[in-house]
Amino acid sequence: MKITQNWREEIKTIPNGLSLFRIVLLPVYVYFVWQHAFYLAGIVIAVSGLTDFLDGYIARRFNQITDLGKLLDPLSDKLTQFVLILSMAWYRPWIWLLLGLFVIKEGFMLVAGIIGLKHKVKLSGAKWYGKLATAVIYLGMVILLVFPQLAETWVRVIFSVIALCLMLSFVLYALEYRNMLRSTKLN
């Protein structure tokens, strides 16, 4: 019963409300993409990115960090990133490779997190390289949505930058988890 009461209180915080709002925006984004209203889809993602920044800022600034928020914020981030990449893959089939990289990275993060919990270690929040990858995905997608007729060369450049940031994040998180697990074996 205590978990339910705690959840009910935590859901009322502004940061958690913003994280839920980002999840609610996803069907709106998908609707606009399917309607080829790319400019509106770009605005939805820009709003989503702004609320992503605001939820973290407000949580830290006003001491509204909650256990629910520690789950909800990354969940809404990953869902948004997945939907963004997937929606672009429908229009440019080679982007499925980027989606595959994203799924592998996030699958690794899930497995590494479970292994870390088993050894009683966990990351102390998102790292700069994860935040960079998230920001680059948001920025790249907004550019592609607002400029749907962008030359294929520029589209490939944008997705190459996104792929490089995802790969950097993947490698640096893998090293971080490896170091955390090694430190537990030394103790």
Side-chain angles (χ1 to χ4, degrees):
M1 187 70 166
K2 183 177 180 185
I3 293 173
T4 304
Q5 290 172 346
N6 192 31
W7 177 84
R8 286 183 180 157
E9 288 303 311
E10 289 183 359
I11 199 74
K12 295 176 186 176
T13 66
I14 292 171
N16 290 341
L18 290 172
S19 291
L20 287 171
F21 179 66
R22 286 202 325 268
I23 293 171
V24 169
L25 283 176
L26 291 174
V28 175
Y29 164 79
V30 169
Y31 173 79
F32 286 140
V33 168
W34 281 347
Q35 296 299 313
H36 295 267
F38 296 118
Y39 186 75
L40 293 174
I43 291 171
V44 169
I45 293 308
V47 168
S48 180
L50 178 63
T51 61
D52 184 22
F53 166 77
L54 285 175
D55 76 23
Y57 174 78
I58 292 169
R60 289 185 296 278
R61 176 80 167 95
F62 297 101
N63 196 27
Q64 293 186 357
I65 297 171
T66 64
D67 289 335
L68 178 62
K70 290 176 187 176
L71 174 70
L72 202 54
D73 179 54
L75 175 66
S76 58
D77 287 346
K78 301 314 170 199
L79 283 173
T80 300
Q81 292 170 34
F82 177 76
V83 169
L84 286 172
I85 297 169
L86 180 64
S87 69
M88 289 293 116
W90 289 117
Y91 295 98
R92 293 182 168 87
W94 55 269
I95 294 173
W96 288 99
L97 297 172
L98 182 64
L99 184 65
L101 174 60
F102 177 80
V103 169
I104 290 168
K105 177 207 173 248
E106 294 307 323
F108 166 80
M109 296 291 290
L110 177 64
V111 170
I114 291 169
I115 292 169
L117 288 175
K118 180 180 170 190
H119 293 282
K120 298 186 183 350
V121 295
K122 66 178 183 171
L123 288 175
S124 58
K127 304 297 181 191
W128 69 266
Y129 35 87
K131 291 179 181 184
L132 174 67
T134 298
V136 168
I137 290 171
Y138 272 110
L139 180 61
M141 293 300 169
V142 168
I143 290 169
L144 292 172
L145 289 164
V146 173
F147 302 103
Q149 301 304 321
L150 198 61
E152 191 66 21
T153 301
W154 285 110
V155 172
R156 289 181 185 262
V157 167
I158 290 169
F159 274 98
S160 294
V161 171
I162 292 171
L164 286 171
C165 289
L166 273 175
M167 187 58 75
L168 173 71
S169 176
F170 182 23
V171 168
L172 293 177
Y173 273 122
L175 293 172
E176 182 80 21
Y177 274 110
R178 184 190 71 178
N179 291 339
M180 286 185 339
L181 291 172
R182 279 187 176 171
S183 70
T184 61
K185 291 179 182 177
L186 296 174
N187 293 333

